[in-house]
């Protein structure tokens, strides 16, 4: 019987996930604009033998640029810089199916995958804000169902393009003058509701066959999409019971698509404030909370809930919130925030304090041992296959996690001391990708 292995991804954002991180004395805010900062983070993650690093992305300036903006660089480009400075850690970027074209995106990720030797992953999202829509000639964001319909077709095209080249298509035979076996380079010839793409892709495959597929939506449409396609899921649950329910639900959907539970890694987010004592860790968290700019936080919260709260009293509860069915943006995050506010009867001030560290992800303050205990509990009690580590400040928050928590997990036999392979797929313990054109015709027809 194979021992189940804990997986850890570093979710990197600017100089930290806490919205006030750039104001804290532990942080140099100018580093958010410096590519060397992100290269250093990649090296720290690799030093800790983490599976991967991940960058989110958006296609518009944030809701209050006067106070903060988290994303500066386009993530695929940024990860290419990190690829050259690392050799094992996976490289995952968010890219939206709403505004890219499949051929361009498939080409960009295939390039990152080859440049990194098979370490690329794609976090598949649909864009959910009107500000993003306005940058692409639209008045409003597309309806939620329409976005997922486009996303499904988009991914089908990308998968076909990544299989354009069979693994042994390149010959590089100077004596015969043959660069590639043309019979092993395949057209896509896709004609669908949203796209027409001829193919083949003009980038051959990497050692892992194609980029890893990651998904982060927890709505019903998102979970259905993840069950069919995703190999890792980034999710947000705040309690063990919520994590167990999501984990069981998602894993239970895989069989319908001929998939096994081990074919998909569920990685909830955690924002760890780590210090030598519990009291010091809680005091550190409070230092960051006290630096939150209410006007920035209110704009963030307004965007999550679809209600303008910019003039709402901070010490009052939320006003009436519309039902989730009326939301065309991020439905799962909307529900999480609403449930948190109503379930604990929080004022707006209390709510923005709770959300400041990770926008709804679980925030945990404790000693290295307490953080390791929390990770182990969720891992062993059916709530997670690992965690999406979201350091509240960078680079120090990642440094302290790698140097103090990872060794505890290693000593407990939960986490690797060395990488299992050279590709992201190998290190996640996933089966090798099988190119569709390498499968015998009769077997493809039977499948």
């Amino acid at each position: 019987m194979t021992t189940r292995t804990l997986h850890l991804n570093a979710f990197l954002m600017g100089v930290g996930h806490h919205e006030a991180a750039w104001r804290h004395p532990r942080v140099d805010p100018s580093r958010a604009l410096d590519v060397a900062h992100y290269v250093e983070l990649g090296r720290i993650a690799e030093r800790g033998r983490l599976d991967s690093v991940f960058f989110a992305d958006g296609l518009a300036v944030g809701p209050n640029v006067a106070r903060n903006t988290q994303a500066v660089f386009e993530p695929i480009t940024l990860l290419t810089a990190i690829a050259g400075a690392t050799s094992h850690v996976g490289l995952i970027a968010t890219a939206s199916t709403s505004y890219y074209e499949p051929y361009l995106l498939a080409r960009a990720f295939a390039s990152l995958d080859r440049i990194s030797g098979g370490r690329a992953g794609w976090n598949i999202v649909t864009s959910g804000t009107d500000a993003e829509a306005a940058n692409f000639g639209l008045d409003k964001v597309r309806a939620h169902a329409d976005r997922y319909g486009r996303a499904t077709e988009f991914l089908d095209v990308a998968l076909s393009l990544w299989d354009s080249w069979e693994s042994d298509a390149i010959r590089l035979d100077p004596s015969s003058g043959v660069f590639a076996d043309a019979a092993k380079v395949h057209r896509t010839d896709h004609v669908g509701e949203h796209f027409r793409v001829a193919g083949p892709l003009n980038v051959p495959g990497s050692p892992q066959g194609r980029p890893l597929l990651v998904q982060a939506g927890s709505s019903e449409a998102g979970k259905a999409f993840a069950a069919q396609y995703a190999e890792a899921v980034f999710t947000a649950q705040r309690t063990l019971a919520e994590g167990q329910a999501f984990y069981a639900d998602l894993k239970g959907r895989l069989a319908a698509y001929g998939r096994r539970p081990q074919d998909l890694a569920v990685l909830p987010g955690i924002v760890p404030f780590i210090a030598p004592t519990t009291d010091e860790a809680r005091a550190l968290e409070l230092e960051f909370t006290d630096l939150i700019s209410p006007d920035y936080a209110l704009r963030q919260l307004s965007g999550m809930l679809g209600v303008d709260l910019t003039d709402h009293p901070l010490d009052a509860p939320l006003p009436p919130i519309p039902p989730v069915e009326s939301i065309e943006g991020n439905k799962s995050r909307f529900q999480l925030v609403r449930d948190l506010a109503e379930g604990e009867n929080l004022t707006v001030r209390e709510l923005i304090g709770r959300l400041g560290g990770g926008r709804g992800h679980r925030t945990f303050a404790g000693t290295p041992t307490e953080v390791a205990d929390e990770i182990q509990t969720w891992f062993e009690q059916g709530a997670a296959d690992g965690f999406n580590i979201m350091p509240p400040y960078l680079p120090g928050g990642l440094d302290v996690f790698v140097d103090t928590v990872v060794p505890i997990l290693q000593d407990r036999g939960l986490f690797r001391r060395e990488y299992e392979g050279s590709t992201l797929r190998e290190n996640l313990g996933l089966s090798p990708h099988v190119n569709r054109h390498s499968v015998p015709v009769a077997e493809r027809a039977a499948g």
Side-chain angles (χ1 to χ4, degrees):
M1 181 176 177
T2 303
T3 303
R4 184 164 166 254
T5 303
L6 176 73
H7 296 290
L8 298 173
N9 170 77
F11 181 178
L12 306 176
M13 182 174 284
V15 290
H17 274 273
H18 197 283
E19 65 187 48
W22 69 281
R23 300 183 65 194
H24 195 277
R26 294 193 181 203
V27 167
D28 175 0
S30 69
R31 300 199 72 187
L33 309 172
D34 184 359
V35 68
H37 166 66
Y38 301 98
V39 170
E40 178 187 352
L41 296 177
R43 288 173 170 157
I44 294 170
E46 185 159 281
R47 172 162 56 81
R49 304 298 188 261
L50 272 59
D51 292 82
S52 47
V53 298
F54 158 60
F55 290 97
D57 194 32
L59 297 171
V61 170
N64 192 350
V65 72
R67 296 295 190 186
N68 195 3
T69 182
Q70 296 281 15
V72 176
F73 296 102
E74 189 283 313
I76 302 175
T77 307
L78 182 58
L79 286 169
T80 303
I82 297 173
T86 56
S87 57
H88 286 86
V89 71
L91 308 164
I92 302 173
T94 293
S96 173
T97 60
S98 297
Y99 303 117
Y100 275 100
E101 287 293 316
Y103 194 95
L104 289 176
L105 191 64
R107 186 183 188 215
F109 272 108
S111 297
L112 175 61
D113 211 26
R114 283 199 68 85
I115 288 167
S116 65
R119 295 186 281 140
W122 173 24
N123 180 44
I124 307 161
V125 302
T126 68
S127 298
T129 70
D130 291 341
E132 291 172 302
N135 287 333
F136 293 88
L138 301 176
D139 294 328
K140 290 185 64 63
V141 65
R142 292 185 177 96
H144 192 265
D146 292 343
R147 298 203 310 272
Y148 270 94
R150 176 184 167 98
T152 299
E153 185 180 342
F154 190 116
L155 181 55
D156 286 340
V157 176
L159 292 172
S160 178
L161 289 168
W162 285 326
D163 277 349
S164 295
W165 296 67
E166 295 186 45
S167 60
D168 58 349
I170 296 178
R171 296 282 298 278
L172 293 179
D173 186 352
S175 62
S176 64
V178 175
F179 175 81
D181 183 346
K184 295 190 174 186
V185 182
H186 305 274
R187 290 173 60 90
T188 296
D189 291 324
H190 173 88
V191 178
E193 179 182 355
H194 301 281
F195 307 108
R196 294 181 61 188
V197 182
L201 195 63
N202 59 350
V203 181
S206 79
Q208 71 169 350
R210 62 159 171 74
L212 186 83
L213 303 180
V214 184
Q215 192 265 356
S218 298
S219 65
E220 283 303 307
K223 287 186 287 189
F225 188 87
Q228 183 173 0
Y229 294 108
E231 292 159 311
V233 166
F234 297 151
T235 183
Q237 282 80 43
R238 298 185 64 87
T239 68
L240 178 64
E242 291 172 356
Q244 290 169 324
F246 178 85
Y247 187 92
D249 181 9
L250 190 53
K251 296 279 186 172
R253 297 172 185 243
L254 297 177
Y257 300 99
R259 305 182 67 198
R260 307 166 301 167
Q262 62 265 40
D263 293 335
L264 172 64
V266 176
L267 306 175
I270 184 170
V271 184
F273 288 87
I274 306 167
T277 70
T278 306
D279 286 346
E280 287 175 297
R282 290 173 178 166
L284 178 63
E285 180 181 11
L286 185 59
E287 287 178 15
F288 282 82
T289 301
D290 287 345
L291 293 173
I292 291 174
S293 301
D295 60 334
Y296 175 81
L298 285 172
R299 286 184 180 272
Q300 291 278 85
L301 187 59
S302 297
M304 291 180 192
L305 295 177
V307 174
D308 186 1
L309 300 170
T310 52
D311 294 322
H312 192 76
L314 286 171
D315 294 311
L318 286 174
I321 302 298
V324 67
E325 293 78 16
S326 67
I327 298 297
E328 294 298 349
N330 188 327
K331 290 179 181 288
S332 57
R333 191 55 49 86
F334 169 90
Q335 194 66 52
L336 185 153
V337 173
R338 179 175 179 171
D339 289 349
L340 174 63
E342 295 180 352
E344 299 187 23
N345 195 29
L346 300 176
T347 66
V348 171
R349 188 188 303 276
E350 291 168 332
L351 181 59
I352 63 178
R354 296 285 293 276
L355 296 174
R359 302 163 306 284
H361 289 274
R362 178 162 171 68
T363 300
F364 187 87
T367 66
T369 297
E370 288 169 337
V371 174
D373 289 344
E374 187 75 1
I375 289 173
Q376 183 171 358
T377 296
W378 282 55
F379 178 64
E380 293 183 342
Q381 295 192 18
D385 294 307
F387 274 87
N388 200 17
I389 307 302
M390 303 167 60
Y393 62 99
L394 290 167
L398 183 60
D399 251 329
V400 72
F401 181 86
V402 161
D403 291 341
T404 67
V405 178
V406 167
I408 296 172
L409 297 171
Q410 291 171 331
D411 289 344
R412 294 178 183 180
L414 296 170
F415 192 62
R416 68 170 66 87
R417 293 187 183 274
E418 297 296 338
Y419 286 104
E420 293 84 359
S422 61
T423 71
L424 177 53
R425 193 175 303 279
E426 287 172 329
N427 290 324
L428 281 170
L430 297 171
S431 300
H433 171 66
V434 178
N435 187 298
R436 69 187 67 190
H437 301 292
S438 301
V439 179
V441 174
E443 189 175 329
R444 291 205 301 271

